[in-house]
Amino acid sequence: MISLKTKDWEINNIDTILFDKDGTFIDLHYFWGKMTELRAKEVIKRFSMDEKLFEKLCLYLGYDNTKGKMLKDGITALYSRPQIIDIFCENLKECNIETTHKEMEEIFDYINSIFYKEMEKYTKPIASAINFIKKVHQLGIKCGIVTSDSKESTLLTLKHFDWNNLFDVVIGRESTPEHKESGVPAKMALTEINANPKTTIMIGDAPMDYLAAINAGVEKTILVATGQIERECLLETSPYSINSLDEITIF
């Protein structure tokens, strides 16, 4: 077992760590920014919309394309994929577009099939997080991924960067129909690697990661401000909030 310590807090007796992916060890602004742009362009094409609405559609999806940043209070930061699709469909009514969840899901899936063929172009690791993951892995800690992204995409990322050996389990959105916040995906990860929630922590970048942990019986979640949300805001959810994983001392 290991302990983790910063100048503000200490967590002891850890033998398992569950990680979120985007915003935690992958730069989500670059990755999801490009994904959002492709989705917005496809929606404009499918519904014969004015191309001047491109920026507005990106904002609906939680991305400011003028700044190249995902919005900290955007729907991508706050909700799971099914909820994002439902909200986006409602937003489109303001543009006089009527569509269904199923139709929009098909558009998202189509863009995914294109995007993931060239995924390596848009995937940038967060160096401090990768260094942290490698350190805890070397110390024999079980590591898993619980993400709202697809398992297929995540496995492709691990393969591309030669990280397959760093993680013992990967749970993605297709692993279960239950949302990440329900705690079911995290429970699945714990079961698959025979881990005890009492000696497990979650590391993520958003409140949904905290909910995913709590609902799976994992009491402590470290939230890191490498995603869309600043540390001051993350502290409202978890007292174990930091700016970067390189602030942690492992012992």
Side-chain angles (χ1 to χ4, degrees):
M1 289 192 173
I2 62 170
S3 295
L4 305 178
K5 183 179 180 180
T6 70
K7 62 182 180 62
D8 298 313
W9 49 259
E10 182 174 323
I11 303 175
N12 300 303
N13 302 319
I14 301 164
D15 62 14
T16 306
I17 303 177
L18 300 181
F19 293 87
D20 169 56
K21 178 170 75 74
D22 298 317
T24 301
F25 65 90
I26 294 296
D27 184 333
L28 67 78
H29 296 285
Y30 194 70
F31 186 91
W32 286 104
K34 185 61 179 179
M35 176 75 86
T36 301
E37 288 181 348
L38 291 174
R39 287 172 173 174
K41 288 177 181 178
E42 184 63 22
V43 168
I44 287 172
K45 178 183 175 182
R46 294 276 186 109
F47 297 103
S48 301
M49 299 173 70
D50 190 330
E51 292 184 2
K52 293 179 181 178
L53 291 170
F54 172 73
E55 184 176 331
K56 187 173 187 177
L57 296 188
C58 285
L59 289 172
Y60 281 158
L61 289 166
Y63 178 61
D64 186 338
N65 69 299
T66 64
K67 296 179 179 178
K69 293 287 185 181
M70 300 300 292
L71 303 174
K72 66 180 181 180
D73 56 352
I75 60 176
T76 301
L78 301 176
Y79 303 109
S80 59
R81 188 187 197 228
Q83 292 170 297
I84 289 169
I85 289 175
D86 286 339
I87 294 170
F88 186 48
C89 288
E90 285 298 312
N91 291 150
L92 286 175
K93 291 180 180 180
E94 297 179 12
C95 302
N96 298 315
I97 299 298
E98 293 283 344
T99 185
T100 64
H101 182 103
K102 182 179 179 181
E103 185 175 23
M104 191 55 59
E105 189 167 29
E106 289 173 354
I107 291 173
F108 275 37
D109 286 342
Y110 170 69
I111 293 302
N112 283 2
S113 69
I114 296 172
F115 183 82
Y116 290 130
K117 289 178 181 178
E118 299 184 315
M119 185 183 64
E120 64 274 6
K121 289 184 180 180
Y122 315 117
T123 306
K124 292 183 178 180
I126 298 172
S128 57
I130 298 303
N131 289 337
F132 177 88
I133 293 168
K134 288 180 177 179
K135 287 178 183 177
V136 297
H137 171 74
Q138 289 171 356
L139 292 170
I141 298 305
K142 296 177 185 177
C143 294
I145 297 173
V146 179
T147 177
S148 295
D149 194 13
S150 72
K151 180 175 181 177
E152 179 184 11
S153 164
T154 303
L155 292 174
L156 286 172
T157 299
L158 299 185
K159 181 180 179 180
H160 175 71
F161 289 103
D162 195 24
W163 294 338
N164 288 303
N165 68 317
L166 297 179
F167 298 97
D168 301 288
V169 61
V170 175
I171 301 296
R173 68 166 178 266
E174 68 270 53
S175 301
T176 170
E178 298 295 331
H179 297 173
K180 183 177 181 179
E181 304 97 299
S182 70
V184 172
K187 285 181 181 179
M188 289 178 66
L190 294 172
T191 298
E192 189 164 329
I193 58 178
N194 193 29
N196 182 349
K198 299 299 182 183
T199 54
T200 299
I201 62 167
M202 173 76 85
I203 298 182
D205 71 306
M208 76 162 62
D209 299 310
Y210 173 84
L211 290 174
I214 288 294
N215 289 329
V218 176
E219 297 176 357
K220 295 180 175 64
T221 299
I222 296 173
L223 295 180
V224 58
T226 48
Q228 296 160 263
I229 306 175
E230 297 175 353
R231 177 175 177 270
E232 289 71 21
C233 294
L234 293 175
L235 280 168
E236 296 175 7
T237 299
S238 171
Y240 308 106
S241 296
I242 53 178
N243 288 308
S244 172
L245 285 173
D246 58 14
E247 294 178 15
I248 295 177
T249 298
I250 306 169
F251 64 98

